[in-house]
Amino acid sequence: MSRLRKIFILIIFSIGFLAMMFYISSENNLSPPYQVNKGPGPGPVKGPAPFPGVKVPFEVVVRAWSIRNITLFLPTFLPHDLKPTAAYVLIDKNGNIGNVAIFLYSNKSHDRIETAELTIEVYPAEDLPFDPKSTKGGVFTTIGGWKVYYKEEAPVTWEEYQQLYGSYARLISIYINGLNYLYRGAPPLTIQDMIKIVESMQPTKIS
Amino acid sequence: MSKFGWNVGHFLLPFILLVATILVFPVIATDERYYAGYYYYGYEGSSPPNGVSADIYTIDSWVTGANFYCQWSGVTLSYTYHYWIQVGYNKGWDTNFALKWYIEKNDLNGYQLYWKNSPLAHNTYHYYLHRASDQTYWRAGVSGQFEDQIYTVPYAAVDYKAFSETTTIDINIDGTHFTYISYAQGSDWRLWDQHYPRADPPYTIQEISNYEFTANGGGP
């Protein structure tokens, strides 16, 4: 083999090797900066620990909160054959249900916060937690007299969510009686679907 | 060596490759996370308080490869969207294996990380995040060292946290100590009156009180 040929083979090998290393490094999540762009939108972001709640039926939260005179509003219209799959709450040593709850809906039986198609994060708040001065884009309005903010593309940085639905969700936040309801709707849900869902919210009743 | 045989030049390229590999390898960061610390989490009450603070002892642990550890206090802005803001210190490949303070947030407007100066190892610092009731930004800082105003969207807290976080169980966190963990009610600071612990094996925490814990474990 000529010297020139050997050098050529080594150069090709080198380029291939470095390209492989670059590919591997770009496929992994960097931390920090935790974010890697994979196509349009932000990539997954690692960060603090997820919600430590336990999975319970919706009725458990409705019942526990009603004892505290908290009236929970939930949607009565669900497109795309979505169905309630689980609620997540914290339960303390005495069996008390926490005042943050996450309700999940899915048409594929997704019962995890990261992967459900429709989620509603409900928590006490002083007001709608979106401020027109510091919030870029989106729409501030009212629905049924309640303050609402919505945005068609809100980044969701859970890796599992992004693998299923991409980098964005349809966000709607509605403030009702001291509780903020933060909706996350995954495509193919549209913002119009989400508005209809929010418009259908009714106080829950204990059966 | 014959004219057509291997000479020093042929070994130079593999050597360069080896060096390149060593340089490239550190950015292949791990996806793993191991946590030890407290969630605050309000069981009762009408609205979450206005901030979180903690005194955190600065441990100086051995970190290698594409790893890091950080210890911080933080505000959860949304669990479902994975939005938060936190202030803490970090040591790892991302800080050239030096101790560094940082403020980090991830929200509707995207991810941002602000590196600050270096804490002294084996010293305790007071970390805080505070939002006045009529404001939509958080004052994030370390007492006597730095303070920034950071706008977040959404601006309100869902929960608070005080945690040690590592990317590999090979990092030993012995000496971890969080104390005077507090929440803000208006402009008053009050010690946490509740907590929800989490410790991912092999890490363990010792729950001294609602507002104090130590943690240890891990290591090669």
Side-chain angles (χ1 to χ4, degrees), chain A residues 6 32 34 47 99-100 121 155, chain B residues 4 35 41-42 80 83 94 104 111:
Chain A
K6 282 178 187 169
Y34 300 85
N99 63 4
V100 175
E121 187 171 357
Chain B
F4 300 106
Y35 303 98
Y41 202 83
T80 51
Y83 293 164
D94 47 338
E104 180 191 52
Y111 175 84

Side-chain angles (χ1 to χ4, degrees), chain B residues 141-206:
Chain B
V142 175
S143 292
Q145 305 298 328
F146 63 87
E147 179 181 294
D148 284 359
Q149 290 183 359
I150 310 282
Y151 283 89
T152 63
V153 183
Y155 63 79
V158 176
D159 195 6
Y160 297 102
K161 295 186 181 115
F163 268 92
S164 174
E165 179 179 342
T166 70
T167 57
T168 170
I169 57 173
D170 289 341
I171 296 172
N172 181 285
I173 63 163
D174 286 2
T176 294
H177 189 191
F178 285 59
T179 189
Y180 300 115
I181 309 171
S182 304
Y183 66 83
Q185 188 80 57
S187 56
D188 294 334
W189 289 98
R190 298 174 187 176
L191 296 172
W192 278 15
D193 48 10
Q194 59 189 19
H195 76 279
Y196 187 89
R198 171 173 176 158
D200 297 337
Y203 299 115
T204 57
I205 60 171
Q206 294 73 48

Side-chain angles (χ1 to χ4, degrees), chain A residues 53-137:
Chain A
V54 294
K55 191 166 75 169
V56 296
F58 279 31
E59 294 73 25
V60 171
V61 186
V62 173
R63 189 173 294 276
W65 285 15
S66 71
I67 293 168
R68 285 186 225 156
N69 292 321
I70 300 171
T71 302
L72 180 69
F73 284 64
L74 288 175
T76 54
F77 166 74
L78 294 167
H80 300 282
D81 204 25
L82 291 169
K83 291 184 172 54
T85 52
Y88 282 82
V89 286
L90 266 187
I91 303 175
D92 74 6
K93 294 169 193 167
N94 302 316
N96 297 318
I97 301 279
N99 63 4
V100 175
I102 298 171
F103 299 91
L104 311 184
Y105 300 83
S106 175
N107 56 24
K108 297 184 183 69
S109 302
H110 289 306
D111 62 356
R112 297 183 53 238
I113 292 166
E114 294 85 348
T115 55
E117 290 96 317
L118 179 69
T119 67
I120 313 172
E121 187 171 357
V122 187
Y123 53 95
E126 294 166 334
D127 201 350
L128 187 73
F130 293 87
D131 174 46
K133 290 175 193 163
S134 53
T135 305
K136 294 174 195 164

Side-chain angles (χ1 to χ4, degrees), chain A residues 1-3 6-7 10-11 13-15 17-18 21-22 24-25 27-35 45-54 68 88-93 96-102 104 113-114 119-121 123-131 134-136 149 151 153-159 169-172 178 182-185, chain B residues 3-7 9-11 13-14 17-18 20-21 24-25 27-33 35 39-48 50 66-68 70 72 75-84 86 90 93-94 102 104 106-113 115 131 133 136 151-159 161 163 165 167 195-196 198 207:
Chain A
M1 198 183 328
S2 75
R3 187 182 175 192
K6 282 178 187 169
I7 290 170
L10 281 170
I11 287 170
F13 173 73
S14 307
I15 291 168
F17 184 81
L18 286 173
M21 293 306 293
F22 178 76
I24 291 168
S25 68
E27 279 297 293
N28 280 274
N29 193 37
L30 307 185
S31 351
Y34 300 85
Q35 191 170 302
V45 181
K46 292 292 177 183
F51 188 60
V54 294
R68 285 186 225 156
Y88 282 82
V89 286
L90 266 187
I91 303 175
D92 74 6
K93 294 169 193 167
N96 297 318
I97 301 279
N99 63 4
V100 175
I102 298 171
L104 311 184
I113 292 166
E114 294 85 348
T119 67
I120 313 172
E121 187 171 357
Y123 53 95
E126 294 166 334
D127 201 350
L128 187 73
F130 293 87
D131 174 46
S134 53
T135 305
K136 294 174 195 164
Y149 168 76
K151 191 170 187 184
E153 287 196 338
V156 182
T157 47
W158 292 116
E159 188 165 13
R170 319 304 182 200
L171 180 151
I172 295 192
L182 182 63
Y183 280 77
R184 186 191 80 192
Chain B
K3 187 181 175 184
F4 300 106
W6 294 89
N7 58 25
H10 292 115
F11 292 102
L13 210 51
L17 272 179
L18 184 67
T21 304
V24 169
F25 182 74
V27 300
I28 305 171
T30 174
D31 271 348
E32 299 299 322
R33 289 291 186 281
Y35 303 98
Y39 297 84
Y40 174 67
Y41 202 83
Y43 290 105
E44 302 281 352
S46 57
S47 62
N50 304 99
N67 292 298
F68 70 89
C70 52
W72 46 266
V75 177
T76 300
L77 304 168
S78 164
Y79 276 114
T80 51
Y81 282 87
H82 200 32
Y83 293 164
W84 76 89
Q86 65 182 229
N90 183 94
W93 71 268
D94 47 338
Y102 68 91
E104 180 191 52
N106 187 47
D107 69 358
L108 190 63
N109 290 337
Y111 175 84
Q112 282 178 301
L113 177 64
W115 290 116
R131 183 183 66 79
S133 297
T136 60
Y151 283 89
T152 63
V153 183
Y155 63 79
V158 176
D159 195 6
K161 295 186 181 115
F163 268 92
E165 179 179 342
T167 57
H195 76 279
Y196 187 89
R198 171 173 176 158
E207 300 168 62

Side-chain angles (χ1 to χ4, degrees), chain A residues 138-186:
Chain A
V139 175
F140 286 87
T141 184
T142 58
I143 291 177
W146 308 111
K147 288 183 186 177
V148 168
Y149 168 76
Y150 65 82
K151 191 170 187 184
E152 193 154 5
E153 287 196 338
V156 182
T157 47
W158 292 116
E159 188 165 13
E160 288 165 286
Y161 177 94
Q162 294 198 356
Q163 285 167 354
L164 289 170
Y165 311 113
S167 298
Y168 295 104
R170 319 304 182 200
L171 180 151
I172 295 192
S173 181
I174 179 166
Y175 183 72
I176 304 174
N177 291 347
L179 292 177
N180 187 56
Y181 296 74
L182 182 63
Y183 280 77
R184 186 191 80 192

